[in-house]
Amino acid sequence: MAFKDLTQGMKISISRSITTSFESYMNGINWNEDKFNMQNFVAEWREYIINHASWYSQISEETKADPVFHEELALKINEVINKILSEKPTKAQMDEINELQEQLEKDYDYSCKLEAKYVIEVMKEQLKKKRSS
């Protein structure tokens, strides 16, 4: 079975699993692009789909072993990652980051919506620590 032959719901679930794993992986390396390693990411994604993705058990062992299916999955992974990295932060995120940066007197770089989400979480945590000390 080819990737294109999967149901729309299955394709959406696969894309969602890639996004979830990518966010988790990038948060784990603090969105440091120099630390990004595609093999490490794919290993983390594989771990995620085996243990947490319902779609994985719905695909036959024959399909899972098919090299063409793996090539198509690799293309899908690249497509999803490129989409994530090109999605601009929202105005609300940028406003919140600017406000938090002023409070912390520290600048943070971010380039996409998912990274902005991470930066906001990090800054809120730092602000909490700053206020409690």
Side-chain angles (χ1 to χ4, degrees):
M1 178 183 285
F3 186 84
K4 65 178 172 39
D5 298 327
L6 297 175
T7 66
Q8 189 60 27
M10 183 90 66
K11 290 177 191 174
I12 290 168
S13 294
I14 290 171
S15 294
R16 225 179 266 134
S17 71
I18 295 166
T19 300
T20 300
S21 297
F22 186 73
E23 179 177 16
S24 172
Y25 176 78
M26 292 305 290
N27 288 353
I29 62 169
N30 300 313
W31 279 83
N32 182 337
E33 292 160 25
D34 295 334
K35 290 183 180 178
F36 182 82
N37 178 296
M38 184 57 100
Q39 288 178 311
N40 291 347
F41 163 68
V42 170
E44 190 167 310
W45 177 66
R46 183 169 284 124
E47 172 82 18
Y48 175 83
I49 63 173
I50 290 169
N51 295 311
H52 303 289
S54 60
W55 65 264
Y56 188 72
S57 63
Q58 298 171 23
I59 293 179
S60 72
E61 292 304 316
E62 182 184 344
T63 299
K64 289 176 189 173
D66 184 348
V68 173
F69 184 71
H70 283 273
E71 286 174 28
E72 293 170 335
L73 268 181
L75 290 173
K76 187 64 179 176
I77 288 169
N78 287 332
E79 178 188 308
V80 171
I81 289 173
N82 286 333
K83 183 179 175 199
I84 290 168
L85 295 176
S86 65
E87 195 173 3
K88 299 290 179 215
T90 65
K91 175 155 178 24
Q93 283 178 313
M94 292 188 290
D95 291 345
E96 187 171 4
I97 287 171
N98 288 335
E99 185 181 313
L100 290 165
Q101 286 181 146
E102 283 179 26
Q103 292 175 43
L104 289 168
E105 298 174 355
K106 195 172 182 182
D107 284 339
Y108 284 84
D109 290 330
Y110 58 96
S111 58
C112 68
K113 186 176 180 178
L114 212 50
E115 186 177 15
K117 177 182 170 190
Y118 169 78
V119 165
I120 290 168
E121 290 169 10
V122 167
M123 287 193 297
K124 283 181 174 180
E125 194 58 42
Q126 288 180 351
L127 203 53
K128 220 185 281 182
K129 287 179 184 175
K130 187 178 176 181
R131 288 179 177 154
S132 66
S133 59

